[in-house]
Amino acid sequence: MPEMLEAEAARLLLDQRALNREIARVYAPDTWFLKRGTTPAALRHALIGNAFTAARRTGKQIVLDTKDPDVRLGVHLGMSGRVVVDDEDAGDPLIYASNQRMPKWHRFGVHFTDGGSFFVRDPRRLGAVVLDPEEARLGPDAASITYQQLDAAIGKRTAPIKAVLMDQARVAGLGNLLVDEVLWRAGIAPARRADTLAPDDRKRLHKTIRQTVRTLGRRGGSHTGDMPRELVPCPRDGTPLRRETIGGRTTFWCPQHQT
């Protein structure tokens, strides 16, 4: 499933292949995919004759700036989305979704005047495209979050630490796979109340978040972690892993070393 690392791969492809190319046509057949009042007509008005000038990312949110300083395009990959530029797919093939090149799954796209194109392909329709996305609603990006920012995000919250880390308003970018991997590496139980984490726990968690994001980014994505997502012995201590629902999400963890 696309998390921040998959969004970064998409951002990088857009940065390399989609910038400074004049937009000739907008393809927006699926109005469900357009959020916050965005319409096909508004997209055509904003984008035709325009060009993307920068591709940015905070958490899972990709933002494309344009020549018009008043126009920004937000792209969210949801749970099965991939960015395709000139028929090149961004990132590694998805594990939990189809990677077939089906035009009917193109939920949004633009055609450039040079004959190329950029599409968002999403079989499950859980992604989104929006004009002028609300970037301020997101917390600090997990790839660059400071200890002080993480400490403030955790604060005195009584929710499970997994739920806090997955709250995009607290920490942007961490999804189900990354959070399970981070907590497994840090030795912190996912259901543990966030406010019970002592300063040493929080420092260890901060270091692990930054290291895990870097390591899995180099490997190719959120799916390349070391913790198996099945009921097998823990690679660290041999204890059978458990599967539970925490924060509304399927969670794998080790009851021996995660406390």
Side-chain angles (χ1 to χ4, degrees):
M1 299 179 189
E3 299 191 16
M4 64 178 294
L5 299 179
E6 288 69 37
E8 176 60 18
R11 185 207 67 79
L12 184 60
L13 180 63
L14 289 163
D15 183 74
Q16 293 172 338
R17 302 284 295 276
L19 302 187
N20 303 310
R21 302 170 71 179
E22 184 178 347
I23 297 167
R25 288 184 290 134
V26 171
Y27 180 77
D30 189 347
T31 57
W32 169 261
F33 206 73
L34 311 180
K35 306 302 183 185
R36 293 187 56 240
T38 300
T39 65
L43 287 166
R44 289 191 293 269
H45 178 76
L47 297 178
I48 291 176
N50 206 340
F52 302 124
T53 57
R56 302 182 286 108
R57 180 193 60 79
T58 299
K60 306 175 189 179
Q61 175 76 68
I62 301 166
V63 177
L64 289 162
D65 296 325
T66 73
K67 289 193 305 182
D68 183 340
D70 294 325
V71 175
R72 294 171 297 122
L73 184 73
V75 177
H76 198 289
L77 301 178
M79 298 181 72
S80 64
R82 293 185 79 181
V83 160
V84 184
V85 180
D86 297 337
D87 293 325
E88 179 180 345
D89 297 348
D92 285 356
L94 298 177
I95 301 298
Y96 299 103
S98 174
N99 293 282
Q100 295 184 60
R101 295 188 170 189
M102 302 284 285
K104 68 179 182 179
W105 292 338
H106 288 172
R107 308 300 178 185
F108 168 81
V110 300
H111 295 270
F112 300 113
T113 56
D114 60 16
S117 61
F118 148 49
F119 288 103
V120 180
R121 187 177 68 228
D122 187 356
R124 298 180 64 182
R125 299 174 73 214
L126 295 173
V129 164
V130 60
L131 284 170
D132 302 325
E134 294 180 299
E135 298 180 68
R137 67 183 176 81
L138 297 172
D141 189 84
S144 57
I145 191 170
T146 66
Y147 170 73
Q148 290 75 17
Q149 289 172 325
L150 179 63
D151 184 52
I154 295 171
K156 297 181 180 180
R157 291 175 177 82
T158 59
I161 184 59
K162 174 168 183 172
V164 173
L165 293 178
M166 290 191 65
D167 182 347
Q168 300 303 296
R170 304 293 176 192
V171 181
L174 297 179
N176 201 38
L177 301 183
L178 279 174
V179 169
D180 280 2
E181 180 75 14
V182 163
L183 293 174
W184 178 78
R185 290 180 176 220
I188 297 171
R192 182 173 169 183
R193 276 178 39 158
D195 63 349
T196 68
L197 268 65
D200 285 348
D201 297 322
R202 299 182 185 207
K203 291 176 182 176
R204 186 171 74 257
L205 179 59
H206 173 254
K207 181 179 179 180
T208 304
I209 290 171
R210 297 287 298 270
Q211 288 179 339
T212 301
V213 169
R214 287 196 299 269
T215 299
L216 271 60
R218 289 194 297 265
R219 290 179 183 177
S222 306
H223 61 288
T224 62
D226 295 330
M227 187 192 72
R229 297 193 65 78
E230 51 187 337
L231 299 178
V232 297
C234 173
R236 179 168 293 185
D237 55 43
T239 302
L241 295 176
R242 290 184 181 174
R243 179 176 60 200
E244 299 178 11
T245 299
I246 298 173
R249 303 301 298 273
T250 299
T251 303
F252 289 86
W253 69 291
C254 174
Q256 178 64 31
H257 81 269
Q258 290 181 252
T259 59

